[in-house]
PDB file of all heavy atoms in Angstrom:
ATOM      1  N   GLU R1209       0.833  -1.156  -0.037  1.00  0.00           N
ATOM      2  CA  GLU R1209      -0.048  -0.002   0.004  1.00  0.00           C
ATOM      3  C   GLU R1209       0.863   1.269  -0.094  1.00  0.00           C
ATOM      4  O   GLU R1209       1.612   1.516   1.011  1.00  0.00           O
ATOM      5  CB  GLU R1209      -0.893   0.011   1.288  1.00  0.00           C
ATOM      6  CG  GLU R1209      -1.783   1.236   1.361  1.00  0.00           C
ATOM      7  CD  GLU R1209      -2.670   1.403   0.211  1.00  0.00           C
ATOM      8  OE1 GLU R1209      -3.255   0.354  -0.306  1.00  0.00           O
ATOM      9  OE2 GLU R1209      -2.954   2.554  -0.300  1.00  0.00           O
ATOM     10  N   HIS R1210       0.857   1.968  -1.084  1.00  0.00           N
ATOM     11  CA  HIS R1210       1.714   3.199  -1.217  1.00  0.00           C
ATOM     12  C   HIS R1210       0.722   4.409  -0.882  1.00  0.00           C
ATOM     13  O   HIS R1210       0.218   5.080  -1.768  1.00  0.00           O
ATOM     14  CB  HIS R1210       2.223   3.317  -2.580  1.00  0.00           C
ATOM     15  CG  HIS R1210       3.068   2.150  -2.927  1.00  0.00           C
ATOM     16  ND1 HIS R1210       4.356   1.909  -2.372  1.00  0.00           N
ATOM     17  CD2 HIS R1210       2.863   1.108  -3.828  1.00  0.00           C
ATOM     18  CE1 HIS R1210       4.886   0.764  -2.809  1.00  0.00           C
ATOM     19  NE2 HIS R1210       4.062   0.278  -3.739  1.00  0.00           N
ATOM     20  N   ASP R1211       0.605   4.598   0.431  1.00  0.00           N
ATOM     21  CA  ASP R1211      -0.317   5.691   0.885  1.00  0.00           C
ATOM     22  C   ASP R1211       0.376   6.894   1.325  1.00  0.00           C
ATOM     23  O   ASP R1211      -0.221   7.857   1.824  1.00  0.00           O
ATOM     24  CB  ASP R1211      -1.184   5.236   2.027  1.00  0.00           C
ATOM     25  CG  ASP R1211      -0.392   4.738   3.241  1.00  0.00           C
ATOM     26  OD1 ASP R1211       0.840   4.830   3.217  1.00  0.00           O
ATOM     27  OD2 ASP R1211      -1.027   4.276   4.236  1.00  0.00           O
ATOM     28  N   GLY R1212       1.693   6.966   1.173  1.00  0.00           N
ATOM     29  CA  GLY R1212       2.481   8.157   1.554  1.00  0.00           C
ATOM     30  C   GLY R1212       2.962   8.107   3.051  1.00  0.00           C
ATOM     31  O   GLY R1212       3.771   8.907   3.478  1.00  0.00           O
ATOM     32  N   ASN R1213       2.389   7.176   3.862  1.00  0.00           N
ATOM     33  CA  ASN R1213       2.774   6.951   5.206  1.00  0.00           C
ATOM     34  C   ASN R1213       3.635   5.798   5.505  1.00  0.00           C
ATOM     35  O   ASN R1213       4.221   5.634   6.569  1.00  0.00           O
ATOM     36  CB  ASN R1213       1.494   6.934   6.052  1.00  0.00           C
ATOM     37  CG  ASN R1213       0.868   8.262   6.220  1.00  0.00           C
ATOM     38  OD1 ASN R1213       1.461   9.329   6.238  1.00  0.00           O
ATOM     39  ND2 ASN R1213      -0.487   8.181   6.132  1.00  0.00           N
ATOM     40  N   HIS R1214       3.600   4.794   4.486  1.00  0.00           N
ATOM     41  CA  HIS R1214       4.272   3.487   4.729  1.00  0.00           C
ATOM     42  C   HIS R1214       5.241   3.286   3.539  1.00  0.00           C
ATOM     43  O   HIS R1214       4.918   3.453   2.436  1.00  0.00           O
ATOM     44  CB  HIS R1214       3.311   2.374   4.797  1.00  0.00           C
ATOM     45  CG  HIS R1214       2.415   2.451   6.017  1.00  0.00           C
ATOM     46  ND1 HIS R1214       1.201   3.228   5.952  1.00  0.00           N
ATOM     47  CD2 HIS R1214       2.399   1.832   7.246  1.00  0.00           C
ATOM     48  CE1 HIS R1214       0.579   3.145   7.178  1.00  0.00           C
ATOM     49  NE2 HIS R1214       1.261   2.337   7.932  1.00  0.00           N
ATOM     50  N   VAL R1215       6.416   2.865   3.913  1.00  0.00           N
ATOM     51  CA  VAL R1215       7.387   2.336   2.926  1.00  0.00           C
ATOM     52  C   VAL R1215       7.874   1.021   3.175  1.00  0.00           C
ATOM     53  O   VAL R1215       7.765   0.486   4.364  1.00  0.00           O
ATOM     54  CB  VAL R1215       8.595   3.351   2.805  1.00  0.00           C
ATOM     55  CG1 VAL R1215       8.156   4.812   2.392  1.00  0.00           C
ATOM     56  CG2 VAL R1215       9.352   3.373   4.108  1.00  0.00           C
ATOM     57  N   ALA R1216       8.393   0.271   2.214  1.00  0.00           N
ATOM     58  CA  ALA R1216       8.911  -1.085   2.482  1.00  0.00           C
ATOM     59  C   ALA R1216       9.978  -1.111   3.463  1.00  0.00           C
ATOM     60  O   ALA R1216      10.785  -0.136   3.568  1.00  0.00           O
ATOM     61  CB  ALA R1216       9.396  -1.640   1.062  1.00  0.00           C
ATOM     62  N   PRO R1217       9.991  -2.073   4.315  1.00  0.00           N
ATOM     63  CA  PRO R1217       9.141  -3.312   4.344  1.00  0.00           C
ATOM     64  C   PRO R1217       7.897  -3.186   5.176  1.00  0.00           C
ATOM     65  O   PRO R1217       7.269  -4.168   5.546  1.00  0.00           O
ATOM     66  CB  PRO R1217      10.076  -4.341   4.963  1.00  0.00           C
ATOM     67  CG  PRO R1217      10.899  -3.565   5.943  1.00  0.00           C
ATOM     68  CD  PRO R1217      11.170  -2.231   5.312  1.00  0.00           C
ATOM     69  N   HIS R1218       7.514  -1.969   5.562  1.00  0.00           N
ATOM     70  CA  HIS R1218       6.386  -1.764   6.418  1.00  0.00           C
ATOM     71  C   HIS R1218       5.084  -1.363   5.638  1.00  0.00           C
ATOM     72  O   HIS R1218       4.352  -0.545   6.075  1.00  0.00           O
ATOM     73  CB  HIS R1218       6.722  -0.600   7.378  1.00  0.00           C
ATOM     74  CG  HIS R1218       8.190  -0.708   7.973  1.00  0.00           C
ATOM     75  ND1 HIS R1218       8.527  -1.618   8.818  1.00  0.00           N
ATOM     76  CD2 HIS R1218       9.227   0.106   7.776  1.00  0.00           C
ATOM     77  CE1 HIS R1218       9.793  -1.520   9.237  1.00  0.00           C
ATOM     78  NE2 HIS R1218      10.217  -0.447   8.571  1.00  0.00           N
ATOM     79  N   ASP R1219       4.829  -2.000   4.558  1.00  0.00           N
ATOM     80  CA  ASP R1219       3.751  -1.496   3.719  1.00  0.00           C
ATOM     81  C   ASP R1219       2.883  -2.666   3.205  1.00  0.00           C
ATOM     82  O   ASP R1219       2.083  -2.393   2.219  1.00  0.00           O
ATOM     83  CB  ASP R1219       4.228  -0.608   2.561  1.00  0.00           C
ATOM     84  CG  ASP R1219       5.337  -1.426   1.703  1.00  0.00           C
ATOM     85  OD1 ASP R1219       5.643  -2.523   2.040  1.00  0.00           O
ATOM     86  OD2 ASP R1219       5.611  -0.861   0.580  1.00  0.00           O
ATOM     87  N   VAL R1220       2.988  -3.853   3.669  1.00  0.00           N
ATOM     88  CA  VAL R1220       2.290  -5.010   3.067  1.00  0.00           C
ATOM     89  C   VAL R1220       0.911  -5.165   3.820  1.00  0.00           C
ATOM     90  O   VAL R1220       0.870  -5.226   5.027  1.00  0.00           O
ATOM     91  CB  VAL R1220       3.071  -6.319   3.294  1.00  0.00           C
ATOM     92  CG1 VAL R1220       2.357  -7.484   2.730  1.00  0.00           C
ATOM     93  CG2 VAL R1220       4.433  -6.150   2.494  1.00  0.00           C
ATOM     94  N   GLN R1221      -0.133  -5.161   2.957  1.00  0.00           N
ATOM     95  CA  GLN R1221      -1.498  -5.420   3.474  1.00  0.00           C
ATOM     96  C   GLN R1221      -1.994  -6.809   3.033  1.00  0.00           C
ATOM     97  O   GLN R1221      -1.527  -7.349   2.066  1.00  0.00           O
ATOM     98  CB  GLN R1221      -2.448  -4.392   2.891  1.00  0.00           C
ATOM     99  CG  GLN R1221      -2.334  -3.013   3.514  1.00  0.00           C
ATOM    100  CD  GLN R1221      -3.567  -2.126   3.082  1.00  0.00           C
ATOM    101  OE1 GLN R1221      -4.291  -2.467   2.175  1.00  0.00           O
ATOM    102  NE2 GLN R1221      -3.711  -0.970   3.540  1.00  0.00           N
ATOM    103  N   ILE R1222      -2.858  -7.328   3.890  1.00  0.00           N
ATOM    104  CA  ILE R1222      -3.551  -8.602   3.546  1.00  0.00           C
ATOM    105  C   ILE R1222      -4.999  -8.383   3.353  1.00  0.00           C
ATOM    106  O   ILE R1222      -5.667  -7.640   4.036  1.00  0.00           O
ATOM    107  CB  ILE R1222      -3.289  -9.665   4.681  1.00  0.00           C
ATOM    108  CG1 ILE R1222      -4.077 -10.971   4.309  1.00  0.00           C
ATOM    109  CG2 ILE R1222      -3.785  -9.123   6.044  1.00  0.00           C
ATOM    110  CD1 ILE R1222      -3.545 -11.681   3.110  1.00  0.00           C
ATOM    111  N   ASP R1223      -5.593  -9.024   2.221  1.00  0.00           N
ATOM    112  CA  ASP R1223      -6.938  -8.928   1.972  1.00  0.00           C
ATOM    113  C   ASP R1223      -7.719  -9.972   2.852  1.00  0.00           C
ATOM    114  O   ASP R1223      -7.707 -11.171   2.558  1.00  0.00           O
ATOM    115  CB  ASP R1223      -7.226  -9.362   0.423  1.00  0.00           C
ATOM    116  CG  ASP R1223      -8.635  -9.215   0.056  1.00  0.00           C
ATOM    117  OD1 ASP R1223      -9.550  -9.236   0.946  1.00  0.00           O
ATOM    118  OD2 ASP R1223      -8.863  -9.159  -1.198  1.00  0.00           O
ATOM    119  N   LEU R1224      -8.288  -9.478   3.958  1.00  0.00           N
ATOM    120  CA  LEU R1224      -8.925 -10.403   4.917  1.00  0.00           C
ATOM    121  C   LEU R1224     -10.092 -11.054   4.450  1.00  0.00           C
ATOM    122  O   LEU R1224     -10.432 -12.230   4.820  1.00  0.00           O
ATOM    123  CB  LEU R1224      -9.159  -9.641   6.249  1.00  0.00           C
ATOM    124  CG  LEU R1224      -7.922  -9.243   7.109  1.00  0.00           C
ATOM    125  CD1 LEU R1224      -8.397  -8.588   8.415  1.00  0.00           C
ATOM    126  CD2 LEU R1224      -7.069 -10.466   7.379  1.00  0.00           C
ATOM    127  N   LYS R1225     -10.895 -10.338   3.650  1.00  0.00           N
ATOM    128  CA  LYS R1225     -12.096 -10.981   3.051  1.00  0.00           C
ATOM    129  C   LYS R1225     -11.677 -12.222   2.167  1.00  0.00           C
ATOM    130  O   LYS R1225     -12.417 -13.197   2.228  1.00  0.00           O
ATOM    131  CB  LYS R1225     -12.873  -9.985   2.247  1.00  0.00           C
ATOM    132  CG  LYS R1225     -13.373  -8.788   3.080  1.00  0.00           C
ATOM    133  CD  LYS R1225     -14.359  -9.189   4.169  1.00  0.00           C
ATOM    134  CE  LYS R1225     -14.905  -7.933   4.753  1.00  0.00           C
ATOM    135  NZ  LYS R1225     -15.856  -8.255   5.875  1.00  0.00           N
ATOM    136  N   ALA R1226     -10.625 -12.115   1.456  1.00  0.00           N
ATOM    137  CA  ALA R1226     -10.159 -13.258   0.640  1.00  0.00           C
ATOM    138  C   ALA R1226      -9.708 -14.384   1.464  1.00  0.00           C
ATOM    139  O   ALA R1226      -9.889 -15.597   1.179  1.00  0.00           O
ATOM    140  CB  ALA R1226      -9.040 -12.812  -0.308  1.00  0.00           C
ATOM    141  N   VAL R1227      -9.045 -14.060   2.639  1.00  0.00           N
ATOM    142  CA  VAL R1227      -8.615 -15.135   3.569  1.00  0.00           C
ATOM    143  C   VAL R1227      -9.812 -15.787   4.164  1.00  0.00           C
ATOM    144  O   VAL R1227      -9.912 -17.051   4.279  1.00  0.00           O
ATOM    145  CB  VAL R1227      -7.711 -14.572   4.674  1.00  0.00           C
ATOM    146  CG1 VAL R1227      -7.405 -15.615   5.754  1.00  0.00           C
ATOM    147  CG2 VAL R1227      -6.434 -13.994   4.058  1.00  0.00           C
ATOM    148  N   GLN R1228     -10.859 -15.046   4.515  1.00  0.00           N
ATOM    149  CA  GLN R1228     -12.017 -15.619   5.087  1.00  0.00           C
ATOM    150  C   GLN R1228     -12.755 -16.593   4.126  1.00  0.00           C
ATOM    151  O   GLN R1228     -13.277 -17.594   4.621  1.00  0.00           O
ATOM    152  CB  GLN R1228     -12.989 -14.451   5.457  1.00  0.00           C
ATOM    153  CG  GLN R1228     -14.226 -14.899   6.223  1.00  0.00           C
ATOM    154  CD  GLN R1228     -15.202 -13.823   6.637  1.00  0.00           C
ATOM    155  OE1 GLN R1228     -15.225 -12.757   5.927  1.00  0.00           O
ATOM    156  NE2 GLN R1228     -15.795 -13.932   7.758  1.00  0.00           N
ATOM    157  N   ALA R1229     -12.660 -16.301   2.810  1.00  0.00           N
ATOM    158  CA  ALA R1229     -13.251 -17.130   1.825  1.00  0.00           C
ATOM    159  C   ALA R1229     -12.551 -18.542   1.678  1.00  0.00           C
ATOM    160  O   ALA R1229     -13.096 -19.377   1.079  1.00  0.00           O
ATOM    161  CB  ALA R1229     -13.316 -16.393   0.531  1.00  0.00           C
ATOM    162  N   LEU R1230     -11.380 -18.652   2.334  1.00  0.00           N
ATOM    163  CA  LEU R1230     -10.664 -19.934   2.237  1.00  0.00           C
ATOM    164  C   LEU R1230     -11.089 -20.968   3.203  1.00  0.00           C
ATOM    165  O   LEU R1230     -10.819 -22.138   3.077  1.00  0.00           O
ATOM    166  CB  LEU R1230      -9.146 -19.668   2.465  1.00  0.00           C
ATOM    167  CG  LEU R1230      -8.468 -18.753   1.418  1.00  0.00           C
ATOM    168  CD1 LEU R1230      -6.983 -18.416   1.745  1.00  0.00           C
ATOM    169  CD2 LEU R1230      -8.537 -19.448  -0.023  1.00  0.00           C
ATOM    170  N   PHE R1231     -11.868 -20.553   4.233  1.00  0.00           N
ATOM    171  CA  PHE R1231     -12.372 -21.463   5.259  1.00  0.00           C
ATOM    172  C   PHE R1231     -13.366 -22.408   4.618  1.00  0.00           C
ATOM    173  O   PHE R1231     -14.341 -22.048   3.915  1.00  0.00           O
ATOM    174  CB  PHE R1231     -13.021 -20.704   6.408  1.00  0.00           C
ATOM    175  CG  PHE R1231     -12.066 -20.095   7.451  1.00  0.00           C
ATOM    176  CD1 PHE R1231     -11.447 -18.872   7.085  1.00  0.00           C
ATOM    177  CD2 PHE R1231     -11.771 -20.728   8.582  1.00  0.00           C
ATOM    178  CE1 PHE R1231     -10.529 -18.336   8.042  1.00  0.00           C
ATOM    179  CE2 PHE R1231     -10.967 -20.207   9.584  1.00  0.00           C
ATOM    180  CZ  PHE R1231     -10.313 -18.909   9.262  1.00  0.00           C
ATOM    181  N   THR R1232     -13.199 -23.665   4.899  1.00  0.00           N
ATOM    182  CA  THR R1232     -14.151 -24.735   4.506  1.00  0.00           C
ATOM    183  C   THR R1232     -14.933 -25.346   5.666  1.00  0.00           C
ATOM    184  O   THR R1232     -15.843 -26.103   5.442  1.00  0.00           O
ATOM    185  CB  THR R1232     -13.540 -25.842   3.695  1.00  0.00           C
ATOM    186  OG1 THR R1232     -12.474 -26.425   4.574  1.00  0.00           O
ATOM    187  CG2 THR R1232     -12.814 -25.312   2.383  1.00  0.00           C
ATOM    188  N   SER R1233     -14.475 -25.105   6.864  1.00  0.00           N
ATOM    189  CA  SER R1233     -15.088 -25.440   8.040  1.00  0.00           C
ATOM    190  C   SER R1233     -14.872 -24.493   9.194  1.00  0.00           C
ATOM    191  O   SER R1233     -13.869 -23.651   9.075  1.00  0.00           O
ATOM    192  CB  SER R1233     -14.627 -26.850   8.446  1.00  0.00           C
ATOM    193  OG  SER R1233     -13.259 -26.905   8.742  1.00  0.00           O
ATOM    194  N   GLU R1234     -15.527 -24.602  10.286  1.00  0.00           N
ATOM    195  CA  GLU R1234     -15.340 -23.757  11.496  1.00  0.00           C
ATOM    196  C   GLU R1234     -14.486 -24.461  12.465  1.00  0.00           C
ATOM    197  O   GLU R1234     -14.730 -25.556  12.828  1.00  0.00           O
ATOM    198  CB  GLU R1234     -16.658 -23.372  12.030  1.00  0.00           C
ATOM    199  CG  GLU R1234     -17.569 -22.505  11.132  1.00  0.00           C
ATOM    200  CD  GLU R1234     -18.817 -21.958  11.863  1.00  0.00           C
ATOM    201  OE1 GLU R1234     -18.730 -21.631  13.028  1.00  0.00           O
ATOM    202  OE2 GLU R1234     -19.835 -21.886  11.146  1.00  0.00           O
ATOM    203  N   PRO R1235     -13.477 -23.784  13.016  1.00  0.00           N
ATOM    204  CA  PRO R1235     -12.594 -24.403  14.053  1.00  0.00           C
ATOM    205  C   PRO R1235     -13.449 -24.511  15.330  1.00  0.00           C
ATOM    206  O   PRO R1235     -14.486 -23.973  15.485  1.00  0.00           O
ATOM    207  CB  PRO R1235     -11.445 -23.362  14.231  1.00  0.00           C
ATOM    208  CG  PRO R1235     -11.584 -22.469  13.015  1.00  0.00           C
ATOM    209  CD  PRO R1235     -12.998 -22.460  12.610  1.00  0.00           C
ATOM    210  N   GLU R1236     -12.839 -25.194  16.334  1.00  0.00           N
ATOM    211  CA  GLU R1236     -13.515 -25.271  17.611  1.00  0.00           C
ATOM    212  C   GLU R1236     -13.377 -23.992  18.371  1.00  0.00           C
ATOM    213  O   GLU R1236     -12.303 -23.312  18.355  1.00  0.00           O
ATOM    214  CB  GLU R1236     -12.745 -26.401  18.427  1.00  0.00           C
ATOM    215  CG  GLU R1236     -13.367 -26.586  19.840  1.00  0.00           C
ATOM    216  CD  GLU R1236     -12.745 -27.639  20.712  1.00  0.00           C
ATOM    217  OE1 GLU R1236     -11.781 -28.343  20.130  1.00  0.00           O
ATOM    218  OE2 GLU R1236     -13.015 -27.894  21.853  1.00  0.00           O
ATOM    219  N   MET R1237     -14.449 -23.512  19.053  1.00  0.00           N
ATOM    220  CA  MET R1237     -14.440 -22.364  19.798  1.00  0.00           C
ATOM    221  C   MET R1237     -13.955 -22.501  21.166  1.00  0.00           C
ATOM    222  O   MET R1237     -14.139 -23.596  21.782  1.00  0.00           O
ATOM    223  CB  MET R1237     -15.837 -21.743  19.892  1.00  0.00           C
ATOM    224  CG  MET R1237     -16.445 -21.299  18.590  1.00  0.00           C
ATOM    225  SD  MET R1237     -18.021 -20.471  18.896  1.00  0.00           S
ATOM    226  CE  MET R1237     -18.669 -20.256  17.193  1.00  0.00           C
ATOM    227  N   HIS R1238     -13.241 -21.531  21.770  1.00  0.00           N
ATOM    228  CA  HIS R1238     -12.853 -21.570  23.175  1.00  0.00           C
ATOM    229  C   HIS R1238     -13.274 -20.286  23.827  1.00  0.00           C
ATOM    230  O   HIS R1238     -12.478 -19.328  24.043  1.00  0.00           O
ATOM    231  CB  HIS R1238     -11.256 -21.643  23.289  1.00  0.00           C
ATOM    232  CG  HIS R1238     -10.753 -22.980  22.795  1.00  0.00           C
ATOM    233  ND1 HIS R1238     -11.037 -24.171  23.307  1.00  0.00           N
ATOM    234  CD2 HIS R1238      -9.888 -23.187  21.641  1.00  0.00           C
ATOM    235  CE1 HIS R1238     -10.393 -25.096  22.683  1.00  0.00           C
ATOM    236  NE2 HIS R1238      -9.606 -24.603  21.624  1.00  0.00           N
ATOM    237  N   PRO R1239     -14.613 -20.200  24.148  1.00  0.00           N
ATOM    238  CA  PRO R1239     -15.186 -18.850  24.609  1.00  0.00           C
ATOM    239  C   PRO R1239     -14.562 -18.532  25.902  1.00  0.00           C
ATOM    240  O   PRO R1239     -14.284 -19.298  26.820  1.00  0.00           O
ATOM    241  CB  PRO R1239     -16.613 -19.240  24.687  1.00  0.00           C
ATOM    242  CG  PRO R1239     -16.808 -20.372  23.865  1.00  0.00           C
ATOM    243  CD  PRO R1239     -15.550 -21.220  24.069  1.00  0.00           C
ATOM    244  N   PHE R1240     -14.440 -17.160  26.114  1.00  0.00           N
ATOM    245  CA  PHE R1240     -14.166 -16.646  27.436  1.00  0.00           C
ATOM    246  C   PHE R1240     -15.450 -16.616  28.314  1.00  0.00           C
ATOM    247  O   PHE R1240     -16.605 -16.685  27.637  1.00  0.00           O
ATOM    248  CB  PHE R1240     -13.700 -15.180  27.296  1.00  0.00           C
ATOM    249  CG  PHE R1240     -12.317 -15.076  26.807  1.00  0.00           C
ATOM    250  CD1 PHE R1240     -11.983 -14.281  25.709  1.00  0.00           C
ATOM    251  CD2 PHE R1240     -11.231 -15.713  27.398  1.00  0.00           C
ATOM    252  CE1 PHE R1240     -10.727 -14.078  25.200  1.00  0.00           C
ATOM    253  CE2 PHE R1240      -9.875 -15.530  26.893  1.00  0.00           C
ATOM    254  CZ  PHE R1240      -9.642 -14.837  25.832  1.00  0.00           C
TER     255      PHE R1240
END
């Protein structure tokens, strides 16, 4: 992301919606 505030190596973003789409099942929950 070249937004003027971040330069390499501090500029890498992850597309979280794309990661979420990779789930094929739900892990076990450990609620507080």
Side-chain angles (χ1 to χ4, degrees):
E1209 178 61 40
H1210 301 292
D1211 59 3
N1213 292 320
H1214 298 81
V1215 297
H1218 315 292
D1219 60 349
V1220 177
Q1221 285 190 352
I1222 178 64
D1223 182 342
L1224 288 182
K1225 299 295 187 182
V1227 174
Q1228 187 179 31
L1230 296 174
F1231 281 79
T1232 58
S1233 62
E1234 296 187 35
E1236 181 181 356
M1237 295 185 189
H1238 294 298
F1240 288 126

